[in-house]
Amino acid sequence: MHFGYWTPIYGGFLRNLGDEGMPATWDYVKKLSQLADRLGYHTTLVPELYLNDRKGVDAPSLEAWSLSSAILAVTEQLRVMTAVRPGFHLPAVTAKESATITDIAGTTEAGAARFALNVVAAWWEEEARQYGGAFTRHDDRYRQATEFVDVLRGLWEHTPFTYEGEHFSVRDSILSPKPGVHPPVFAGGESESGRDSIATFADSYVLHGGTVEEVRTKIADMNARSQRIHQRDMAEFGMSTYIIVRDTEAEARAELARITTVDPHSPGYASFEEFVKNSELDVELSKREYSVGTRGLRPDLVGTPEQVAEKIRAYQDAGLTLLLIQCSPAHEELERIAEQVFPLVPAREYLSTTGG
């Protein structure tokens, strides 16, 4: 199992609480990134949101792509998985940016890419209105994402490259220099159309939090789809989760109760309701689960180090290869998890992919 974490671009992860001691500043993100790099974290996911969906639309949040470049420049082994939403980007420009960022990133000691993409079918209509993004309805968002990745890979691999699609077109386009190692492409989605599209264009699959059996079923399903299309399994499976580790289970459960006291008037509640409205989820979300987003509480990784490690090993046995952790405050909790949980979970050999 590889351990990763979400970069807190929005000053924390908790919708019901205010100040979490993680300001939305480069200074904090830099210190957290370098700490995680030293502690041995494998990947950080940098979400792309132009409005703050955790603390309210008026609260500060950082921009993903400039932040990702900076994180890569000040770390050595940490992989940065940057979210990209096709409705806010031109794919040819993104291909160019990716080539430059890949050069900044270099590779790990094992020769794996340090820069990866998480292609996201955007769900937030209000954000698209404010920032001029192309907001498309559910199934069309995945067709848009497929075309987007087709253009990325075409430009990474061919010169010149021409593509005519419903959403994106390029003609006789030249990309030079090309990325030395293609960024791996991740994506997540739960609808039938979403999973079909993702199996077509993505190397790896990211899941919202789920039970072991839910995760096992989704991994088997996505591998079967990938086998039919590409004659191979997907390279990696990541899952978002919120982790609480304490000396006793009672202490951990008390912290869980503190962060999940539901406040329907909190600034982030409206964005939660819009997420549910514009998504096709295969599991109904409770108001309690909304507290941290991405169904991070559903895996129930809450307890002593031994209890949490035992649950993580069950996910590893189900085929999961990467945990993307949310925790608060991140600088304290990531260190606690590294010191107390890492030694109890066996390492898993990293499956490198060139995104081909």
Side-chain angles (χ1 to χ4, degrees):
M1 180 69 72
H2 287 302
F3 289 87
Y5 67 97
W6 285 59
T7 289
I9 66 163
Y10 15 55
F13 300 110
L14 303 173
R15 288 193 170 103
N16 290 319
L17 300 182
D19 184 6
E20 298 177 53
M22 307 189 253
T25 64
W26 164 238
D27 183 63
Y28 179 78
V29 170
K30 177 182 178 180
K31 291 174 182 175
L32 183 66
S33 303
Q34 292 176 325
L35 172 65
D37 199 31
R38 292 195 302 271
L39 292 171
Y41 281 88
H42 182 275
T43 298
T44 185
L45 169 60
V46 182
E48 181 181 61
L49 288 169
Y50 300 123
L51 297 176
N52 192 325
D53 81 322
R54 303 298 175 98
K55 304 299 185 183
V57 295
D58 295 330
S61 61
L62 301 175
E63 190 278 321
W65 280 68
S66 52
L67 198 64
S68 296
S69 296
I71 293 170
L72 285 162
V74 300
T75 55
E76 297 179 359
Q77 295 295 310
L78 184 69
R79 181 175 67 176
V80 175
M81 182 198 302
T82 306
V84 58
R85 295 174 300 165
F88 290 88
H89 295 264
L90 295 174
V93 175
T94 302
K96 186 73 171 179
E97 291 169 332
S98 299
T100 300
I101 294 175
T102 298
D103 186 41
I104 293 169
T107 59
T108 67
E109 292 175 353
R114 286 191 62 218
F115 178 60
L117 292 174
N118 179 30
V119 179
V120 178
W123 54 266
W124 200 352
E125 190 169 5
E126 171 62 16
E127 181 197 35
R129 184 191 67 78
Q130 290 194 26
Y131 276 82
F135 185 82
T136 52
R137 294 301 166 186
H138 185 273
D139 287 2
D140 200 35
R141 294 205 294 267
Y142 284 101
R143 290 190 290 270
Q144 180 189 52
T146 301
E147 290 187 14
F148 190 86
V149 178
D150 285 346
V151 175
L152 288 181
R153 288 211 170 102
L155 284 164
W156 289 342
E157 296 170 5
H158 304 288
T159 296
F161 178 69
T162 295
Y163 184 91
E164 292 290 338
E166 178 184 355
H167 296 278
F168 303 109
S169 299
V170 295
R171 182 173 298 278
D172 297 329
S173 297
I174 295 171
L175 175 66
S176 181
K178 297 186 182 299
V181 178
H182 293 180
V185 175
F186 288 74
E190 298 180 345
S191 67
E192 184 69 20
S193 59
R195 285 180 288 170
D196 267 347
S197 297
I198 290 164
T200 300
F201 71 75
D203 303 303
S204 300
Y205 187 61
V206 286
L207 301 85
H208 285 179
T211 66
V212 172
E213 286 309 311
E214 288 168 350
V215 168
R216 190 191 310 275
T217 298
K218 289 177 181 178
I219 288 174
D221 174 74
M222 290 305 297
N223 276 337
R225 292 172 194 259
S226 184
Q227 284 287 349
R228 287 196 297 270
I229 298 167
H230 303 292
Q231 292 74 55
R232 58 168 170 77
D233 288 347
M234 304 208 83
E236 297 180 63
F237 288 96
M239 181 184 74
S240 292
T241 185
Y242 195 90
I243 293 184
I244 301 173
V245 174
R246 295 293 185 270
D247 292 340
T248 68
E249 184 177 6
E251 290 174 310
R253 294 291 167 186
E255 172 64 6
L256 177 63
R258 183 183 74 88
I259 68 172
T260 56
T261 300
V262 175
D263 177 6
H265 302 293
S266 67
Y269 193 75
S271 66
F272 162 73
E273 291 188 312
E274 186 168 347
F275 168 72
V276 173
K277 180 184 72 174
N278 289 320
S279 303
E280 292 185 13
L281 304 177
D282 59 0
V283 176
E284 184 177 354
L285 285 178
S286 70
K287 287 182 170 63
R288 186 171 185 263
E289 286 179 312
Y290 107 94
S291 302
V292 300
T294 64
R295 291 209 298 271
L297 295 177
R298 194 169 180 81
D300 195 34
L301 296 183
V302 178
T304 66
E306 292 76 17
Q307 289 172 323
V308 170
E310 182 179 6
K311 293 176 183 178
I312 292 173
R313 290 194 295 269
Y315 282 103
Q316 181 168 271
D317 291 342
L320 200 68
T321 62
L322 174 67
L323 284 181
L324 294 167
I325 298 167
Q326 297 180 24
C327 53
S328 179
H331 54 284
E332 294 179 7
E333 297 302 320
L334 289 180
E335 188 164 11
R336 189 198 308 265
I337 292 165
E339 291 176 353
Q340 299 182 13
V341 179
F342 281 17
L344 304 178
V345 180
R348 186 180 187 119
E349 182 178 353
Y350 175 57
L351 297 177
S352 176
T353 175
T354 60

